[in-house]
Amino acid sequence: MSTEEKPAAPRSLAEALRARDDASLAALLRSRPDLITPVPTDLTQLATRAGTRASVLRALERLDRFALQTAEALAVAPDPASYETLLGLLAGDAGEATVAAALPGAVATLREQALVWGEDDRLRLVRTAQEVLAPSPQHPSPTGLGPSVREATAGMSPGRIQDIVATAGLSSTHDSVSAVAALTGLFTDRKAMTALLDGAPQPSLEVLSRLVWGPPYGQVTAEPAAHLRWLLDRGLLLPTTPGTVVLPREVALHLREGRAHRTPEPLPPAVEPAAAHGSRVVDATAAGQAYTALATVEELLKDWDEGGPAVLRAGGLSVRDLKRTAVALDVSEPVAAFWVELAYAAGLLASDGEADERYAATPAYDAWLERPAAERWTGLAEAWLTATRTSGLIGGRDAKDRALSALGQGLDRSAAPEVRLRVLTLLAGLPEGAAPAADSVLARLRWERPLRGPRQDGDDLRSRLARWTLSEAELLGVTGRGALSAHGRALLGTPPAEPSPPAGLGTGSRTGSGAAAGAGSGAGAGAGAGELPEAAGTHGAIATSGTPAASGASGPAATAGPAAAGGPGDKLPFHHHPVPPAEPLSPAGTAGDAGSPARPGPPGQTAARIAAAARLLAPLLPEPLDHVLLQADLTAVAPGPLERPLADVLGVLADVESKGGATVYRFTPGSVRRALDAGRSASDLHAFLTAHSRTPVPQPLAYLIDDVARKHGHLRVGAASAYVRCDDDALLNEILADKRAGALRLRRLAPTVMAAQCDPATLLEGLRSMGYAPAGESAEGDVLITRADAHRSPPRTAPEPVPDGPPPPDTTLLAAAVRAIRAGDLAATTPRKSTGAPLAGGELPRTSAADTLATMQAAVMTGDSVWIGYVNAEGAASQRVVAPIRVEGGFVTAYDHTADEVRTYPLHRITGVAELADE
C-alpha cells in the first residue's frame, strides 16, 4: 500500500498559487498583466493583488459568457461548493449534456484566472468576485435569484421564524439557527417542495411564476391578499423591508428545476454565412476599393497641400471644414471623417504648429507617395488595424456633453484594435468568398465578451465598434462584398481558407464545446457592396461602391501563418501570432491578450505579414499609365491611374472634372495660369502634352495655352504692403476704372505702378478674379514661382495608440517575474531560527554588527543559506535568502536566491541575519 500522503487542501488563494507550477503562474500573469505591474515580492502579495476590486473586475470583463455564467452560479452556491453542486446549478435537474461537457473548461478558466481556487469538492470564488456577483437589492444578480433563506431571515424575530416553520409542516426547534436550517432543508428537498406546492392556491402559484426568473422582489400591502398570505405564512415569500417581499433563492431554484440561469450558453453562437462569392470576385472588388482608398487619401492631402483647414481652439476640425472636405472628396461626412482620421493615424497629416495653426501634409506623405501602390495600401491598413482613434464617434457627444470633432480629442477607444482584429479573425475562419450576416458576428462577439448587467440591445461600444469595423474594412479594401480578401488574410497572418461551398450553403462554421471550441468556429462578417450596417452616431451612413478593380487573377494563397487555435469562445485574440504560439490559447483569451492595442508578433513577423499582403495585392491593382487622351472640348481623359510625374504635372495644369474608372481633366485659363505660376513656360506645356497624349494636341487647347502665356506676367505684384507694376499704363487705367477693384483700394504712384492697401496674396487673388493673369514678384524684381506642395508640417510621428491597461508581458519578462516571485516567496516562507523577540509580518531581522559578521563567516564555512534583511541605496527594505560565498573588506559576496544570481552586499546595509531552521 502506498505511504504517500495526499497534499493538504489549500486554505487560501495564496496557498493555491503556491501549489501551482511555473507554467501555470506564467499563464496567470499573461492573462492578467496588471498583476505584475510592478512585480510582486512574493505569492502572498500576488494573491492580495489578484483579489483587489479593480483587478477582479478587469478579469471578469474578459470572460466569455459561459465562464461568466459559471462564476455567477458559484456566487449563488453555498461557500464552498462542490463541483457536483455547481454542475446542478448550470445543467439543472435534467443534466444538460452540452453544459456538462463545457463546465470543466469553464472551471479551468476561472482557476487559471485566479478567480476560483480550491479542490473540486471545495470550490471558492475570491471574495471580491463573490461580492461583485452575489445578488443584493442594490445590485441584482444576472441569474435573477434573490437572497438565501438564511440571508433573508437574518433580521427576522425568532417567534416569526418558528411560526413559519410550524405552518410549513415542520417540527418546532429550540433556536432560530436550527429553524432556518430546517426551512432550508425543506426548500431544497424536491419531493417535500412538490408536495407543499401541490396544495398551493392557483393565484399563489401565479405569483411565484412571475418572480421565479427575476427580479425576485415584489410589493405587498399592509394587509396582503389571501393568496399572498398563504405564501408569507410558509416562508415561500419573505419580507425584507416594510411593503417588500423576496422569493428565497432555494424556492426559486426548485421552481427552475435547479438551474441558476434561464438559458445557459455553453457554446459560442455560430456565425452564419449569408452569401458566397468567388474568390476572384472578392479579391478584385477588394482591390478596387484599395485603389479607391489610395486615390481618396491622395486627393484629400493634395487638397490641403497649400495649407488645410484651421485647427479649432480646442483642437480638431470644424464641422464646416469637414463638410467642405466631404464635398471635395464627393463622399458623405462620416466617410470623409474616416479618411481624415486614417491619414492622421498613418502619420500623413498633422497640424503645422504655426501661430495661425492649420492642418497640412507631413514630410512622411512625400515619402509615402514614392512607394509602390501596394505598399502604400498596407501602410494605411496597418495604421487602421492598430489605431485606437475611432472615427465613428465623430458627431457624437462625450461624457461632458461636448461635441466630438474629427482630429479632436476624446476619440480614443482602447478596445478598438482588439475588436477590429477579432472581427477580421472571424472572417478569416470562413471559407474563401463567404460573407456572413452582421448580426451573427455581433452575437458571437457578445458571447465572447458579455456585458455584465442589463443588456443594451447591441448598442454597447463593442457592438458599435464591430459594425464600424465591417464598414471600414469594406471602404479600405480589406474585404470585398463582405468577405475577407486574400491580401486581407495575409495582413492578419492567417492561412488561406477552404473555398466557399456553392449557393445554398449551410452554416459553414464549426462550434466547439467547452474548452475545445476553437477559432475556426467563427465566421466572418462584412457588409456587401453598398450594403453596410447601420451604426450608432454619424458613422452609420458610410456606404461603399464595391467597384471591382481592373481585371487580374488573385495572387497565391497567403501562407504567413497558421490559423489561430482557441479555447471556449475563442476569445478576442488581438495579440494574434502568425506562427504557432509558444503557449496554447486559454479559454479566457489568447496568450498575451491584455487589451493592449499593439499589433501582434515581433517586428520580423509583422514585416513578413505586410510584405505578403502587398505581394498579393500588387497584381490586382491596375498598372499606372504614361499617357492621356486629349479631346477638342479642352478635356483630357486618363483611362486609368497615371504614373506619378505625369499625375503631378497634370494635376497642376488641369482641374479634375470627374472620377471613376477613368478620370476626366479640364483645362481652364486658371489651371494653365497655375502651371505658369509653377515655373512652366508655354513651350514646356506644349512639349509635355505632345509627349504624353495618344491623340494630337487639339487646336483650342494650344490657343488657350498661348493666350494665357501671353498675358501672364504683364502685371507684377510685390510687397509694399502690396503694389502692382506694369509696363502698359493703359492696362493699369483699365484696372483703376473697374468697379470690382474698389475692394483692393488701389492708388496710383507712377504711370506704371499702383499701391494697394492689402497683402500681396489678397491682391493676386483679387486681380485673378477680375480675369487678369498677374505674377508675384520678389524684392529683386524676379517672378515668384509657387509650387502646390510647398506647405508641409514639421516632421510628426503618428499618434500612439492608447493602451487598455498594462502591455502584455513577453516570454522573457514572464520567466523573470515568476523566478523573482518564487524567490521572494522562498525568502518570506522559509522557516528561520529564532533571533529573540518574534518578528511581525514583513519586519526585517535585527542583529548587531558583530553577530551579523560572525553568522556570515560561519555560513561561508558551512555552506548554509541564511535569511537577511537588507536596505538598498534608495532606502528600500527587503528580505532575502542568500548563500554566502566569501566575506572580506566590509562586503559579503553571496548567491541571492531571490535574484537568482551572485551579488555583493555592503555589511553595513544588512540590518540583521538569521539562520534557516533545520528541515
Side-chain angles (χ1 to χ4, degrees):
M1 186 174 73
S2 174
T3 59
E4 294 182 3
E5 295 183 2
K6 183 179 179 180
R11 295 171 297 176
S12 65
L13 177 59
E15 289 189 6
L17 294 178
R18 199 165 282 124
R20 292 190 178 194
D21 57 19
D22 289 354
S24 179
L25 279 181
L28 168 62
L29 299 180
R30 184 184 300 109
S31 59
R32 296 177 64 178
D34 56 298
L35 299 183
I36 57 170
T37 311
V39 177
T41 58
D42 53 35
L43 288 169
T44 301
Q45 189 179 90
L46 176 63
T48 302
R49 194 176 295 175
T52 58
R53 186 176 182 85
S55 183
V56 168
L57 289 176
R58 187 180 183 84
L60 290 175
E61 289 171 354
R62 295 182 174 275
L63 297 175
D64 62 47
R65 178 158 292 161
F66 187 62
L68 184 59
Q69 286 181 335
T70 303
E72 292 165 352
L74 268 177
V76 298
D79 188 25
S82 66
Y83 181 86
E84 289 71 22
T85 300
L86 178 60
L87 177 60
L89 287 172
L90 288 167
D93 296 342
E96 190 174 340
T98 55
V99 172
L103 186 57
V107 173
T109 297
L110 296 176
R111 275 202 179 107
E112 180 183 300
Q113 300 278 315
L115 296 172
V116 168
W117 58 277
E119 301 297 329
D120 282 351
D121 57 342
R122 295 181 64 84
L123 295 173
R124 293 180 183 269
L125 269 178
V126 295
R127 180 173 301 176
T128 306
Q130 181 80 24
E131 295 171 354
V132 170
L133 298 176
S136 67
Q138 295 77 22
H139 303 285
S141 169
T143 62
L145 293 172
S148 64
V149 173
R150 181 178 59 81
E151 295 166 345
T153 58
M156 190 176 293
S157 66
R160 176 58 181 154
I161 295 176
Q162 294 294 342
D163 291 343
I164 292 175
V165 169
T167 307
L170 301 174
S171 301
S172 299
T173 61
H174 60 281
D175 59 17
S176 298
V177 175
S178 57
V180 170
L183 196 60
T184 302
L186 170 65
F187 292 162
T188 54
D189 187 329
R190 292 287 189 265
K191 291 183 179 180
M193 273 295 289
T194 301
L196 178 63
L197 293 176
D198 284 344
Q202 184 60 32
S204 300
L205 296 177
E206 292 177 358
V207 170
L208 294 178
S209 65
R210 289 198 297 269
L211 299 177
V212 63
W213 291 109
Y217 294 90
Q219 302 295 320
V220 296
T221 61
E223 294 295 332
H227 64 282
L228 294 176
R229 173 56 62 190
W230 192 93
L231 296 172
L232 289 168
D233 289 344
R234 289 157 180 78
L236 298 175
L237 290 180
L238 294 173
T240 55
T241 58
T244 303
V245 295
V246 66
L247 180 68
R249 184 182 306 166
E250 293 82 356
V251 177
L253 286 173
H254 172 79
L255 296 172
R256 297 177 177 194
E257 298 181 345
R259 287 182 295 161
H261 297 84
R262 174 176 288 192
T263 309
E265 299 182 59
L267 301 180
V271 183
E272 301 292 340
H277 309 283
S279 59
R280 289 178 178 270
V281 174
V282 170
D283 292 345
T285 303
Q289 288 297 112
Y291 171 71
T292 302
L294 296 176
T296 304
V297 172
E298 290 182 34
E299 185 178 357
L300 167 69
L301 296 177
K302 184 182 295 184
D303 188 51
W304 291 6
D305 257 346
E306 298 181 10
V311 180
L312 294 175
R313 183 182 305 175
L317 197 64
S318 68
V319 175
R320 180 186 304 172
D321 289 327
L322 181 60
K323 289 182 178 179
R324 289 174 178 169
T325 302
V327 171
L329 298 180
D330 193 23
V331 295
S332 64
E333 291 176 35
V335 177
F338 168 71
W339 295 123
V340 169
E341 284 290 341
L342 180 62
Y344 178 62
L348 308 179
L349 174 67
S351 61
D352 57 12
E354 302 291 339
D356 182 18
E357 197 171 17
R358 292 182 173 276
Y359 289 108
T362 63
Y365 169 63
D366 298 314
W368 180 77
L369 285 177
E370 299 303 321
R371 296 165 60 188
E375 293 183 13
R376 282 186 281 138
W377 180 84
T378 55
L380 294 180
E382 186 72 9
W384 171 71
L385 277 175
T386 59
T388 54
R389 293 183 63 84
T390 309
S391 63
L393 299 170
I394 295 171
R397 316 290 293 186
D398 63 8
K400 298 182 179 179
D401 200 36
R402 294 175 299 193
L404 296 172
S405 59
L407 302 178
Q409 299 178 355
L411 295 180
D412 285 291
R413 295 296 182 269
S414 301
E418 178 187 354
V419 174
R420 289 191 195 110
L421 192 60
R422 182 54 186 152
V423 169
L424 295 180
T425 302
L426 289 176
L427 283 167
L430 283 176
E432 287 185 1
D439 290 343
S440 63
V441 174
L442 298 181
R444 176 63 177 265
L445 293 179
R446 283 195 291 270
W447 186 92
E448 293 176 344
R449 289 289 180 85
L451 293 174
R452 291 191 305 109
R455 301 280 179 88
Q456 300 183 21
D457 298 327
D459 196 37
D460 58 286
L461 176 62
R462 297 184 70 84
S463 296
R464 286 184 290 154
L465 287 173
R467 287 196 294 267
W468 295 335
T469 297
L470 298 176
S471 59
E472 291 168 359
E474 192 80 14
L475 277 175
L476 193 54
V478 177
T479 60
R481 301 197 179 186
L484 189 64
S485 62
H487 49 273
R489 291 180 188 276
L491 191 67
L492 297 178
T494 58
E498 299 175 357
S500 60
L505 25 103
T507 62
S509 60
R510 302 182 302 276
T511 57
S513 73
S521 61
E531 195 176 318
L532 298 175
E534 183 179 353
T538 61
H539 201 67
I542 289 179
T544 61
S545 63
T547 304
S551 61
S554 60
T559 56
D570 187 21
K571 295 284 295 175
L572 300 171
F574 118 124
H575 289 287
H576 172 81
H577 294 271
V579 297
E583 52 282 310
L585 303 181
S586 67
T590 62
D593 180 13
S596 167
R599 278 289 290 145
Q605 294 176 1
T606 300
R609 288 189 297 99
I610 294 174
R615 187 170 59 253
L616 289 173
L617 177 61
L620 303 177
L621 295 176
E623 289 292 332
L625 303 177
D626 62 353
H627 65 275
V628 295
L629 305 176
L630 296 179
Q631 302 186 110
D633 59 349
L634 298 180
T635 60
V637 177
L642 300 177
E643 292 181 346
R644 177 63 50 199
L646 174 58
D648 290 342
V649 175
L650 195 59
V652 176
L653 180 57
D655 298 322
V656 176
E657 187 171 78
S658 65
K659 297 176 293 184
T663 304
V664 178
Y665 294 86
R666 177 163 294 279
F667 299 94
T668 65
S671 67
V672 174
R673 178 200 49 74
R674 188 169 60 228
L676 296 173
D677 286 343
R680 300 269 180 171
S681 65
S683 58
D684 293 336
L685 299 180
H686 284 299
F688 169 79
L689 293 175
T690 302
H692 292 94
S693 176
R694 288 289 177 89
T695 58
V697 178
Q699 190 179 55
L701 179 56
Y703 284 171
L704 174 65
I705 294 173
D706 293 338
D707 186 52
V708 174
R710 185 172 56 256
K711 299 177 182 179
H712 184 264
H714 280 202
L715 293 176
R716 299 291 185 90
V717 175
S721 122
Y723 65 84
V724 180
R725 181 173 65 83
C726 182
D727 294 336
D728 185 357
D729 57 349
L731 183 57
L732 295 183
N733 292 333
E734 180 183 338
I735 294 174
L736 282 174
D738 196 324
K739 294 182 179 180
R740 294 174 294 175
L744 302 178
R745 303 178 68 184
L746 298 171
R747 183 167 58 89
R748 198 156 194 160
L749 301 179
T752 58
V753 179
M754 291 189 301
Q757 298 183 28
C758 59
D759 60 272
T762 304
L763 182 55
L764 280 168
E765 289 301 320
L767 292 175
R768 287 167 181 167
S769 65
M770 295 167 61
Y772 299 100
E777 184 175 75
S778 67
E780 292 76 21
D782 299 324
V783 174
L784 290 175
I785 296 175
T786 59
R787 299 190 183 277
D789 58 350
H791 190 70
R792 288 288 182 267
S793 73
R796 296 274 195 256
T797 58
E800 288 292 332
V802 176
D804 180 19
D810 56 24
T811 305
T812 304
L813 176 58
L814 282 175
V818 170
R819 187 169 61 248
I821 294 171
R822 290 285 192 200
D825 196 61
L826 173 66
T829 59
T830 300
R832 299 176 288 274
K833 292 183 179 179
S834 174
T835 58
L839 299 176
E843 185 178 347
L844 299 180
R846 297 286 179 179
T847 57
S848 65
D851 290 342
T852 298
L853 180 60
T855 304
M856 287 292 186
Q857 289 172 336
V860 171
M861 291 186 291
T862 61
D864 294 335
S865 295
V866 294
W867 179 60
I868 66 171
Y870 180 73
V871 179
N872 64 16
E874 287 75 30
S878 61
Q879 304 175 26
R880 299 171 181 271
V881 174
V882 300
I885 300 172
R886 63 176 178 273
V887 180
E888 59 184 9
F891 293 88
V892 56
T893 301
Y895 175 76
D896 189 336
H897 291 278
T898 304
D900 195 20
E901 63 184 8
V902 175
R903 291 187 174 181
T904 300
Y905 300 97
L907 281 170
H908 69 276
R909 292 194 178 276
I910 297 177
T911 63
V913 61
E915 297 179 13
L916 301 182
D918 296 331
E919 294 294 337

